[in-house]
Amino acid sequence: MSTIHRLHVSAELALGAEIELETAQAHYLQRVLRLDVGASIRLFNGRDGEWLAEILTAHRGRVLVTPRELSRHQPDHHAAPTLLFAPLKKTRTDFAVEKATELGARRIQPIITKRTQTKQIRNDRLESLVREAAEQTERLELPTIEPGIPLFQALENWNPDEPLVFCDEAGDDQNALWGGEHGRALPMAEVISQFSSANGGVLIGPEGGFTLDERTQLKNLNFVYAVSLGPRILRAETAVVCALTIWQTELGDWR
């Protein structure tokens, strides 16, 4: 992996273009990395591949750079999962979004369920986390962060040709702890091994899981599949990592 620092920019990238970096990026290059005129950095914008660039000016918090050489071509669109998840308390949402970016999610959709604990979602903060994670993990594109919406509103707009798995830790017995043993979902790897494409989605519910009514509605949708992540009840942010890991192993770019 290159040790040359890597930044995401919104500007178009082309040979000879002059790009002024954002204030925070300029500060980091000047004050933290101590880079000066002539130093090399890497730039990507999710559209034009990755470019080796040179610092043209660096003065009083203003840094101007220019692309010098295309080092990685932007790949054609590749299949990747969408993550739908119920926001969590404090930094646990940050963790889930950061790891989803690292694990290759193409889109991140916060959803509101009956047991969702946190309904205030700062998309600006999540977009910043996504950008930093993409910079660090050599991604050439950023996943899209969608505004938070109710669960079944999100599913109304779902492409029914793309399978959606929901991590279902409960059984069907309302009088037993976690629904007892009847009605348990099959292991996720077993279920998704039958899918023909890596386009699709993973749905992670809130702490406490989905309600009986939500589970019933989900199971009645012909593009939704209940899956299990094993015999233990996982924290929601752990489930995000596990489910996306299984998806990438079985269907995605880990093969």
Side-chain angles (χ1 to χ4, degrees):
M1 181 186 299
S2 174
T3 58
I4 300 174
H5 194 72
R6 187 169 188 263
L7 292 176
H8 175 269
V9 296
S10 58
E12 299 298 317
L13 295 175
L15 185 65
E18 293 188 357
I19 301 166
E20 184 170 352
L21 298 181
E22 296 177 4
T23 300
Q25 293 175 324
H27 179 272
Y28 187 74
L29 293 185
Q30 287 184 287
R31 302 297 184 182
V32 179
L33 297 183
R34 302 291 183 180
L35 298 183
D36 208 338
V37 173
S40 295
I41 60 173
R42 294 183 293 155
L43 303 176
F44 71 106
N45 63 6
R47 303 180 302 277
D48 301 320
E50 181 177 281
W51 288 75
L52 187 65
E54 178 185 346
I55 297 178
L56 294 178
T57 63
H59 182 65
R60 294 188 176 181
R62 184 172 183 264
V63 173
L64 194 67
V65 301
T66 184
R68 293 298 194 197
E69 178 185 350
L70 178 63
S71 55
R72 294 169 63 193
H73 288 275
Q74 191 74 29
D76 294 334
H77 173 74
H78 64 278
T82 292
L83 171 68
L84 294 82
F85 81 107
L88 305 161
K89 290 182 177 179
K90 299 181 180 178
T91 59
R92 294 168 63 189
T93 286
D94 295 354
F95 177 90
V97 169
E98 179 184 77
K99 301 311 170 189
T101 303
E102 293 181 23
L103 289 166
R106 62 174 173 170
R107 190 166 69 92
I108 299 174
Q109 172 68 72
I111 48 99
I112 308 302
T113 70
K114 291 182 179 177
R115 291 174 177 162
T116 297
Q117 297 178 345
T118 301
K119 299 182 181 180
Q120 298 297 320
I121 304 163
R122 285 189 55 193
N123 275 47
D124 59 335
R125 175 173 175 77
L126 298 186
E127 288 167 358
S128 177
L129 288 168
V130 158
R131 183 165 68 172
E132 290 176 7
E135 289 173 345
Q136 294 168 4
T137 55
E138 300 293 321
R139 284 190 68 158
L140 283 177
E141 78 295 330
L142 273 60
T144 304
I145 301 289
E146 305 288 358
I149 56 176
L151 168 60
F152 291 101
Q153 182 180 334
L155 298 189
E156 286 176 4
N157 300 320
W158 187 264
N159 180 357
D161 293 331
E162 295 188 358
L164 175 68
V165 298
F166 81 98
C167 298
D168 185 22
E169 69 276 22
D172 293 337
D173 185 351
Q174 299 182 57
N175 299 314
L177 182 64
W178 286 99
E181 294 303 316
H182 179 70
R184 292 278 175 176
L186 293 173
M188 180 173 171
E190 180 179 337
V191 173
I192 70 172
S193 66
Q194 307 302 313
F195 298 167
S196 59
S197 170
N199 282 326
V202 172
L203 169 60
I204 306 292
E207 291 185 353
F210 296 104
T211 65
L212 176 62
D213 181 60
E214 288 169 335
R215 290 180 68 237
T216 300
Q217 291 186 68
L218 285 168
K219 289 183 176 183
N220 284 336
L221 295 170
N222 59 13
F223 58 85
V224 174
Y225 301 81
V227 299
S228 169
L229 293 179
R232 291 166 292 280
I233 303 298
L234 303 179
R235 292 174 67 132
E237 70 271 27
T238 307
V240 167
V241 174
C242 292
L244 289 176
T245 297
I246 294 170
W247 186 283
Q248 294 290 42
T249 301
E250 293 291 327
L251 299 173
D253 56 15
W254 287 21
R255 294 180 297 170

